[in-house]
Amino acid sequence: MPVIEHDGAPVWRRRTTGARLVRWFGWLLGLAVFLVCWQRISAATTWFFVWDAPRIAGDIWDRATPPRWEYITRLGRPIWDTINIATMGTLIALCLAVPVAFLAARNTTPSALFVRPLALLVIVATRSINSLIWALLLIAIIGPGVFAGVIAIAIRSIGFCAKLLYEAIEEIDRAQVEAITATGASRWQIMAYGIAPQIMPAFAGIAVFRWDINIRESTVLGLVGAGGIGLQLSASLNVLAWPQVSLILLVILAAVVIGEWVSAKVRGAII
């Protein structure tokens, strides 16, 4: 902390005068940006609907309760499709993410100059686009249905799984790898016996964690025609069948809670 002399006695201050001015200027700049953004948002907002939102929400709540319980017999197949979309998408993503992760890790990539940047590009590209956007693109290419949802979830998950996995590869104990290398093992043997055993706990945790996330994401893919229970939700919303909507939301909540419970149990067993 700088020392400033005042009446012959040292005074300790956390920041200099210049640092305090820069700090205040930053706060004022942030406030100005906030006010400009708020002004633009306000100009584009119909505030009558905002103030009327509590009444509309109450009206929808009255229409949606009680849920139409007899409709649950038609939700078995859609929720099963949703679970399959999440599971199959996660498995495909893991199969593709493993080689991408090895190509992206500094200590396993064949070329840090050419191959690693391409692997990192794949990771960034697949993580940057939301699964709903992938689903829209795939529906235009291969048509609506569960298959489009599976591929959308898989593409979205590749970057997530590969990023965490290649970070785990870079953090391995090099002593084990050097010991296996000293025996004259080939490159594939080094990966199989020196690297893979060290990253298997991380790999299992990543797989379960991503499956848990995909359960949530797959529930809404049906809104764009990619199958699953979201398709039933979209159909019910289109005809304003609010009792069906409330039941579908309860089923989705139950599926997410069960998926979270299974994920927590499996991660606890692994760790």
Side-chain angles (χ1 to χ4, degrees), residues 102 107-108 164-165 167-181 189-206 270:
F102 276 95
N107 52 340
T108 57
L164 295 181
L165 192 57
E167 290 177 352
I169 294 173
E170 291 182 343
E171 295 173 357
I172 62 172
D173 183 7
R174 297 180 182 274
Q176 297 185 32
V177 177
E178 292 173 357
I180 295 175
T181 304
Q189 289 174 326
I190 293 172
M191 289 186 179
Y193 300 105
I195 299 176
Q198 297 190 61
I199 64 172
M200 282 305 296
F203 176 78
I206 293 168
I270 294 172

Side-chain angles (χ1 to χ4, degrees), residues 69 72 75-76 78-80 82-83 212-223 227-234 236-237 244-260:
W69 298 108
I72 199 170
L75 299 181
I79 195 65
W80 178 249
T82 296
I83 295 174
D212 181 29
I213 295 174
N214 287 341
I215 288 287
R216 294 174 173 83
E217 293 196 355
S218 60
T219 57
V220 298
L221 291 184
L223 294 174
I229 198 169
L231 193 60
Q232 298 294 120
L233 178 61
S234 177
S236 297
L237 286 170
Q244 293 177 191
V245 171
S246 62
L247 178 63
I248 293 171
L249 293 177
L250 288 175
V251 172
I252 291 174
L253 176 62
V256 171
V257 170
I258 293 173
E260 175 68 25

Side-chain angles (χ1 to χ4, degrees), residues 9 11 13 21 54 62 73 100 112-113 117 125 163 171 177 184 189 204 228 233 247 255 269:
V11 178
R13 294 184 179 179
L21 289 175
D62 292 337
T73 57
V100 172
L113 185 60
K163 177 177 173 59
E171 295 173 357
V177 177
Q189 289 174 326
L233 178 61
L247 178 63

Side-chain angles (χ1 to χ4, degrees), residues 2 9 30 50 93 98 111 114 116 121 127 133 140 151 171 175 191 200-201 207-208 210 220 228 258 260 266:
V50 175
V98 170
S111 173
F114 298 105
R116 186 170 187 268
L121 177 62
R127 290 178 66 238
I133 307 300
I151 302 302
E171 295 173 357
M191 289 186 179
M200 282 305 296
V208 175
R210 187 63 214 186
V220 298
I258 293 173
E260 175 68 25
V266 174

